[in-house]
Every structure is written in structure tokens, then in C-alpha cells.
Short mmCIF file of all heavy atoms in Angstrom, two decimals:
data_model
loop_
_atom_site.label_atom_id
_atom_site.label_comp_id
_atom_site.label_asym_id
_atom_site.label_seq_id
_atom_site.Cartn_x
_atom_site.Cartn_y
_atom_site.Cartn_z
N LYS B 1124 -26.03 -5.09 -12.82
CA LYS B 1124 -25.96 -6.24 -13.80
C LYS B 1124 -24.54 -6.29 -14.31
O LYS B 1124 -24.14 -5.28 -15.11
CB LYS B 1124 -26.97 -6.03 -14.93
CG LYS B 1124 -26.91 -7.04 -16.06
CD LYS B 1124 -27.67 -6.67 -17.23
CE LYS B 1124 -27.38 -7.62 -18.33
NZ LYS B 1124 -27.49 -7.07 -19.61
N TYR B 1125 -23.76 -7.33 -14.04
CA TYR B 1125 -22.38 -7.27 -14.43
C TYR B 1125 -22.37 -7.68 -15.98
O TYR B 1125 -23.14 -8.52 -16.44
CB TYR B 1125 -21.66 -8.28 -13.69
CG TYR B 1125 -21.30 -7.75 -12.27
CD1 TYR B 1125 -22.02 -8.11 -11.12
CD2 TYR B 1125 -20.34 -6.72 -12.04
CE1 TYR B 1125 -21.79 -7.54 -9.98
CE2 TYR B 1125 -20.17 -6.25 -10.88
CZ TYR B 1125 -20.78 -6.65 -9.70
OH TYR B 1125 -20.55 -6.12 -8.53
N LEU B 1126 -21.45 -6.95 -16.67
CA LEU B 1126 -21.27 -7.22 -18.12
C LEU B 1126 -20.25 -8.32 -18.27
O LEU B 1126 -19.44 -8.67 -17.37
CB LEU B 1126 -20.90 -5.91 -18.78
CG LEU B 1126 -21.83 -4.76 -18.55
CD1 LEU B 1126 -21.17 -3.45 -19.12
CD2 LEU B 1126 -23.20 -5.00 -19.14
N ASP B 1127 -20.07 -8.80 -19.49
CA ASP B 1127 -18.96 -9.71 -19.79
C ASP B 1127 -17.68 -8.95 -19.54
O ASP B 1127 -17.58 -7.79 -19.73
CB ASP B 1127 -19.13 -10.23 -21.24
CG ASP B 1127 -20.26 -11.05 -21.47
OD1 ASP B 1127 -20.76 -11.68 -20.52
OD2 ASP B 1127 -20.57 -11.10 -22.63
N ARG B 1128 -16.59 -9.73 -19.21
CA ARG B 1128 -15.26 -9.14 -18.92
C ARG B 1128 -14.81 -8.40 -20.26
O ARG B 1128 -14.99 -9.09 -21.32
CB ARG B 1128 -14.29 -10.18 -18.55
CG ARG B 1128 -14.62 -10.80 -17.15
CD ARG B 1128 -13.72 -10.23 -16.15
NE ARG B 1128 -14.19 -10.48 -14.80
CZ ARG B 1128 -13.39 -10.85 -13.88
NH1 ARG B 1128 -12.12 -10.76 -14.05
NH2 ARG B 1128 -13.88 -11.13 -12.64
N PRO B 1129 -14.36 -7.30 -20.14
CA PRO B 1129 -13.90 -6.52 -21.42
C PRO B 1129 -12.66 -7.10 -21.98
O PRO B 1129 -11.79 -7.81 -21.28
CB PRO B 1129 -13.69 -5.09 -20.83
CG PRO B 1129 -13.32 -5.28 -19.42
CD PRO B 1129 -14.06 -6.48 -18.99
N SER B 1130 -12.44 -6.85 -23.25
CA SER B 1130 -11.20 -7.18 -23.93
C SER B 1130 -10.01 -6.36 -23.26
O SER B 1130 -10.20 -5.43 -22.51
CB SER B 1130 -11.28 -6.87 -25.39
OG SER B 1130 -11.39 -5.47 -25.57
N ASP B 1131 -8.80 -6.69 -23.73
CA ASP B 1131 -7.56 -6.02 -23.18
C ASP B 1131 -7.67 -4.56 -23.39
O ASP B 1131 -7.31 -3.77 -22.58
CB ASP B 1131 -6.29 -6.70 -23.76
CG ASP B 1131 -6.11 -8.07 -23.10
OD1 ASP B 1131 -6.67 -8.38 -22.07
OD2 ASP B 1131 -5.21 -8.82 -23.74
N SER B 1132 -7.98 -4.17 -24.70
CA SER B 1132 -7.98 -2.74 -25.01
C SER B 1132 -9.04 -1.99 -24.16
O SER B 1132 -8.76 -0.87 -23.72
CB SER B 1132 -8.15 -2.60 -26.52
OG SER B 1132 -9.36 -3.00 -26.92
N VAL B 1133 -10.20 -2.57 -23.98
CA VAL B 1133 -11.19 -1.87 -23.27
C VAL B 1133 -10.77 -1.89 -21.82
O VAL B 1133 -11.07 -0.86 -21.08
CB VAL B 1133 -12.56 -2.67 -23.40
CG1 VAL B 1133 -13.61 -2.17 -22.46
CG2 VAL B 1133 -13.10 -2.54 -24.89
N TYR B 1134 -10.20 -2.97 -21.26
CA TYR B 1134 -9.72 -2.97 -19.92
C TYR B 1134 -8.68 -1.94 -19.62
O TYR B 1134 -8.71 -1.18 -18.69
CB TYR B 1134 -9.13 -4.31 -19.62
CG TYR B 1134 -8.64 -4.59 -18.19
CD1 TYR B 1134 -9.60 -4.94 -17.25
CD2 TYR B 1134 -7.30 -4.37 -17.86
CE1 TYR B 1134 -9.17 -5.13 -15.81
CE2 TYR B 1134 -7.06 -4.49 -16.51
CZ TYR B 1134 -7.82 -4.87 -15.55
OH TYR B 1134 -7.48 -4.98 -14.27
N ASP B 1135 -7.67 -1.74 -20.57
CA ASP B 1135 -6.78 -0.64 -20.50
C ASP B 1135 -7.46 0.72 -20.42
O ASP B 1135 -7.15 1.54 -19.63
CB ASP B 1135 -5.81 -0.65 -21.61
CG ASP B 1135 -4.82 -1.87 -21.53
OD1 ASP B 1135 -4.78 -2.42 -20.53
OD2 ASP B 1135 -4.30 -2.19 -22.58
N PHE B 1136 -8.50 0.93 -21.24
CA PHE B 1136 -9.26 2.10 -21.27
C PHE B 1136 -10.02 2.36 -19.88
O PHE B 1136 -9.95 3.49 -19.36
CB PHE B 1136 -10.21 2.18 -22.41
CG PHE B 1136 -11.20 3.39 -22.42
CD1 PHE B 1136 -10.75 4.60 -22.49
CD2 PHE B 1136 -12.61 3.12 -22.05
CE1 PHE B 1136 -11.68 5.71 -22.43
CE2 PHE B 1136 -13.37 4.12 -21.92
CZ PHE B 1136 -12.97 5.44 -22.18
N LEU B 1137 -10.55 1.38 -19.36
CA LEU B 1137 -11.24 1.49 -18.14
C LEU B 1137 -10.34 1.80 -16.93
O LEU B 1137 -10.75 2.53 -16.13
CB LEU B 1137 -12.10 0.19 -17.84
CG LEU B 1137 -13.32 -0.02 -18.76
CD1 LEU B 1137 -13.85 -1.42 -18.42
CD2 LEU B 1137 -14.36 1.06 -18.61
N GLN B 1138 -9.26 1.30 -17.04
CA GLN B 1138 -8.23 1.69 -15.98
C GLN B 1138 -7.86 3.15 -16.10
O GLN B 1138 -7.89 3.91 -15.15
CB GLN B 1138 -6.93 0.80 -16.11
CG GLN B 1138 -7.11 -0.58 -15.55
CD GLN B 1138 -5.78 -1.30 -15.58
OE1 GLN B 1138 -5.16 -1.35 -16.53
NE2 GLN B 1138 -5.54 -1.91 -14.54
N TYR B 1139 -7.65 3.63 -17.35
CA TYR B 1139 -7.43 5.04 -17.63
C TYR B 1139 -8.58 5.88 -17.19
O TYR B 1139 -8.47 6.85 -16.48
CB TYR B 1139 -7.24 5.22 -19.11
CG TYR B 1139 -7.25 6.64 -19.62
CD1 TYR B 1139 -6.11 7.44 -19.53
CD2 TYR B 1139 -8.38 7.14 -20.16
CE1 TYR B 1139 -6.21 8.74 -20.00
CE2 TYR B 1139 -8.44 8.47 -20.59
CZ TYR B 1139 -7.29 9.25 -20.47
OH TYR B 1139 -7.43 10.58 -20.94
N LEU B 1140 -9.87 5.33 -17.47
CA LEU B 1140 -11.03 6.11 -17.09
C LEU B 1140 -11.11 6.24 -15.55
O LEU B 1140 -11.58 7.44 -15.16
CB LEU B 1140 -12.29 5.37 -17.68
CG LEU B 1140 -13.56 6.04 -17.49
CD1 LEU B 1140 -13.67 7.36 -18.25
CD2 LEU B 1140 -14.75 5.15 -17.91
N THR B 1141 -10.82 5.30 -14.80
CA THR B 1141 -11.03 5.42 -13.33
C THR B 1141 -10.07 6.51 -12.75
O THR B 1141 -10.51 7.10 -11.91
CB THR B 1141 -10.70 4.05 -12.58
OG1 THR B 1141 -9.41 3.58 -12.93
CG2 THR B 1141 -11.73 2.96 -13.02
N ALA B 1142 -9.02 6.67 -13.35
CA ALA B 1142 -8.02 7.69 -12.99
C ALA B 1142 -8.50 9.12 -13.42
O ALA B 1142 -8.47 9.97 -12.69
CB ALA B 1142 -6.65 7.47 -13.48
N GLU B 1143 -9.09 9.21 -14.68
CA GLU B 1143 -9.51 10.42 -15.24
C GLU B 1143 -10.75 10.97 -14.55
O GLU B 1143 -10.85 12.20 -14.32
CB GLU B 1143 -9.82 10.28 -16.75
CG GLU B 1143 -8.66 10.14 -17.55
CD GLU B 1143 -7.77 11.45 -17.50
OE1 GLU B 1143 -8.31 12.51 -17.76
OE2 GLU B 1143 -6.58 11.29 -17.17
N VAL B 1144 -11.58 10.16 -14.06
CA VAL B 1144 -12.90 10.68 -13.51
C VAL B 1144 -12.82 10.96 -12.01
O VAL B 1144 -13.77 11.37 -11.49
CB VAL B 1144 -14.00 9.66 -13.78
CG1 VAL B 1144 -14.27 9.55 -15.30
CG2 VAL B 1144 -13.88 8.35 -13.11
N GLU B 1145 -11.78 10.76 -11.44
CA GLU B 1145 -11.66 10.88 -10.05
C GLU B 1145 -12.05 12.36 -9.71
O GLU B 1145 -11.39 13.39 -10.13
CB GLU B 1145 -10.30 10.63 -9.45
CG GLU B 1145 -10.22 10.83 -7.98
CD GLU B 1145 -9.25 9.94 -7.35
OE1 GLU B 1145 -8.73 9.03 -8.03
OE2 GLU B 1145 -9.18 10.02 -6.07
N ASP B 1146 -13.02 12.62 -8.95
CA ASP B 1146 -13.62 13.89 -8.61
C ASP B 1146 -13.93 14.81 -9.78
O ASP B 1146 -14.08 16.04 -9.51
CB ASP B 1146 -12.60 14.54 -7.60
CG ASP B 1146 -12.32 13.82 -6.40
OD1 ASP B 1146 -13.35 13.21 -5.86
OD2 ASP B 1146 -11.18 13.84 -5.84
N VAL B 1147 -14.09 14.33 -10.89
CA VAL B 1147 -14.44 15.11 -12.11
C VAL B 1147 -16.00 14.95 -12.27
O VAL B 1147 -16.75 15.89 -12.37
CB VAL B 1147 -13.66 14.73 -13.33
CG1 VAL B 1147 -14.22 15.44 -14.53
CG2 VAL B 1147 -12.21 14.94 -13.10
N GLU B 1148 -16.42 13.72 -12.36
CA GLU B 1148 -17.81 13.43 -12.54
C GLU B 1148 -18.36 12.92 -11.21
O GLU B 1148 -17.59 12.65 -10.18
CB GLU B 1148 -18.02 12.18 -13.56
CG GLU B 1148 -17.46 12.51 -14.94
CD GLU B 1148 -18.28 13.60 -15.64
OE1 GLU B 1148 -19.46 13.72 -15.32
OE2 GLU B 1148 -17.68 14.23 -16.53
N TRP B 1149 -19.71 12.83 -11.08
CA TRP B 1149 -20.34 12.27 -9.88
C TRP B 1149 -19.79 10.86 -9.70
O TRP B 1149 -19.91 10.08 -10.48
CB TRP B 1149 -21.76 12.27 -10.00
CG TRP B 1149 -22.50 11.83 -8.73
CD1 TRP B 1149 -22.97 12.59 -7.83
CD2 TRP B 1149 -22.75 10.47 -8.36
NE1 TRP B 1149 -23.51 11.88 -6.78
CE2 TRP B 1149 -23.46 10.58 -7.12
CE3 TRP B 1149 -22.53 9.28 -8.89
CZ2 TRP B 1149 -23.82 9.36 -6.46
CZ3 TRP B 1149 -22.95 8.14 -8.28
CH2 TRP B 1149 -23.61 8.13 -7.01
N ASN B 1150 -19.11 10.65 -8.57
CA ASN B 1150 -18.67 9.29 -8.26
C ASN B 1150 -18.62 9.08 -6.74
O ASN B 1150 -18.41 9.98 -6.02
CB ASN B 1150 -17.43 9.01 -9.02
CG ASN B 1150 -16.26 9.75 -8.35
OD1 ASN B 1150 -15.75 9.40 -7.26
ND2 ASN B 1150 -15.63 10.65 -9.11
N VAL B 1151 -18.79 7.79 -6.42
CA VAL B 1151 -18.57 7.42 -5.13
C VAL B 1151 -17.57 6.31 -5.11
O VAL B 1151 -17.70 5.46 -5.98
CB VAL B 1151 -19.94 6.83 -4.50
CG1 VAL B 1151 -19.64 6.25 -3.09
CG2 VAL B 1151 -21.04 7.91 -4.46
N SER B 1152 -16.49 6.36 -4.37
CA SER B 1152 -15.63 5.30 -4.49
C SER B 1152 -15.10 4.84 -3.13
O SER B 1152 -15.09 5.51 -2.13
CB SER B 1152 -14.36 5.80 -5.32
OG SER B 1152 -13.87 7.03 -4.84
N ALA B 1153 -14.62 3.61 -3.10
CA ALA B 1153 -14.00 3.05 -1.96
C ALA B 1153 -12.95 2.02 -2.49
O ALA B 1153 -12.85 1.89 -3.72
CB ALA B 1153 -15.05 2.18 -1.16
N GLU B 1154 -12.09 1.54 -1.67
CA GLU B 1154 -11.10 0.69 -2.05
C GLU B 1154 -11.47 -0.39 -2.95
O GLU B 1154 -12.26 -1.25 -2.70
CB GLU B 1154 -10.36 0.21 -0.83
CG GLU B 1154 -9.05 -0.49 -1.09
CD GLU B 1154 -8.31 -0.90 0.05
OE1 GLU B 1154 -8.21 -0.10 1.08
OE2 GLU B 1154 -7.74 -2.05 0.11
N GLY B 1155 -11.00 -0.28 -4.24
CA GLY B 1155 -11.28 -1.25 -5.16
C GLY B 1155 -12.64 -1.31 -5.85
O GLY B 1155 -13.05 -2.12 -6.62
N ASN B 1156 -13.49 -0.21 -5.64
CA ASN B 1156 -14.77 -0.02 -6.15
C ASN B 1156 -15.02 1.39 -6.54
O ASN B 1156 -14.68 2.32 -5.77
CB ASN B 1156 -15.90 -0.51 -5.13
CG ASN B 1156 -15.97 -1.98 -4.93
OD1 ASN B 1156 -16.49 -2.65 -5.80
ND2 ASN B 1156 -15.37 -2.46 -3.88
N ARG B 1157 -15.67 1.55 -7.62
CA ARG B 1157 -15.98 2.98 -8.00
C ARG B 1157 -17.30 2.91 -8.87
O ARG B 1157 -17.51 2.06 -9.65
CB ARG B 1157 -14.95 3.61 -8.90
CG ARG B 1157 -15.47 4.84 -9.52
CD ARG B 1157 -14.36 5.90 -9.85
NE ARG B 1157 -13.55 6.15 -8.73
CZ ARG B 1157 -12.28 6.56 -8.70
NH1 ARG B 1157 -11.80 6.80 -9.89
NH2 ARG B 1157 -11.69 6.83 -7.63
N PHE B 1158 -18.25 3.83 -8.40
CA PHE B 1158 -19.47 4.10 -9.20
C PHE B 1158 -19.17 5.43 -9.93
O PHE B 1158 -18.77 6.39 -9.22
CB PHE B 1158 -20.68 4.28 -8.23
CG PHE B 1158 -21.11 2.91 -7.61
CD1 PHE B 1158 -20.51 2.46 -6.44
CD2 PHE B 1158 -21.95 2.05 -8.28
CE1 PHE B 1158 -21.02 1.28 -5.94
CE2 PHE B 1158 -22.44 0.94 -7.77
CZ PHE B 1158 -21.90 0.57 -6.54
N VAL B 1159 -19.48 5.49 -11.22
CA VAL B 1159 -19.31 6.73 -11.94
C VAL B 1159 -20.42 6.88 -12.91
O VAL B 1159 -20.80 5.88 -13.60
CB VAL B 1159 -17.91 6.82 -12.57
CG1 VAL B 1159 -17.74 5.67 -13.60
CG2 VAL B 1159 -17.64 8.15 -13.25
N GLU B 1160 -20.96 8.02 -13.01
CA GLU B 1160 -22.02 8.42 -13.96
C GLU B 1160 -21.36 9.27 -14.99
O GLU B 1160 -20.75 10.17 -14.79
CB GLU B 1160 -23.13 9.09 -13.30
CG GLU B 1160 -24.20 9.48 -14.27
CD GLU B 1160 -25.50 10.08 -13.56
OE1 GLU B 1160 -25.18 10.85 -12.61
OE2 GLU B 1160 -26.60 9.84 -13.93
N LEU B 1161 -21.56 8.79 -16.30
CA LEU B 1161 -20.96 9.49 -17.40
C LEU B 1161 -22.00 9.73 -18.48
O LEU B 1161 -22.90 8.96 -18.72
CB LEU B 1161 -19.79 8.69 -18.01
CG LEU B 1161 -18.62 8.47 -17.08
CD1 LEU B 1161 -17.80 7.33 -17.65
CD2 LEU B 1161 -17.75 9.73 -16.95
#
């Protein structure tokens, strides 16, 4: 279920989050897509 597009500050945080969770939390990723459980 896609959510509304986030604001700029949330978007910046999500970009940060995608880098932070790499191989830290359970995640499956492919080019341009990431599933992460937090």
C-alpha cells in the first residue's frame, strides 16, 4: 500500500535510512528497490 509522497525532510531521512540499514536489518534489495523491516 503506497503512502503519500513524503515531505522534503522525510525524504532526506529516508535516503539516509536506506544507506544506514544496508545489511544491518533484514532487507532484500535490488537496483532501485529495498524492503526493510524495522
Side-chain angles (χ1 to χ4, degrees):
K1124 176 188 172 212
Y1125 287 100
L1126 306 172
D1127 293 336
R1128 294 258 168 141
S1130 66
D1131 289 342
S1132 60
V1133 173
Y1134 184 82
D1135 291 343
F1136 170 69
L1137 290 172
Q1138 286 184 312
Y1139 167 85
L1140 185 65
T1141 60
E1143 283 300 302
V1144 298
E1145 182 144 1
D1146 298 327
V1147 174
E1148 300 290 336
W1149 183 93
N1150 70 70
V1151 176
S1152 51
E1154 190 173 315
N1156 287 284
R1157 171 154 301 157
F1158 289 92
V1159 61
E1160 184 176 32
L1161 293 163

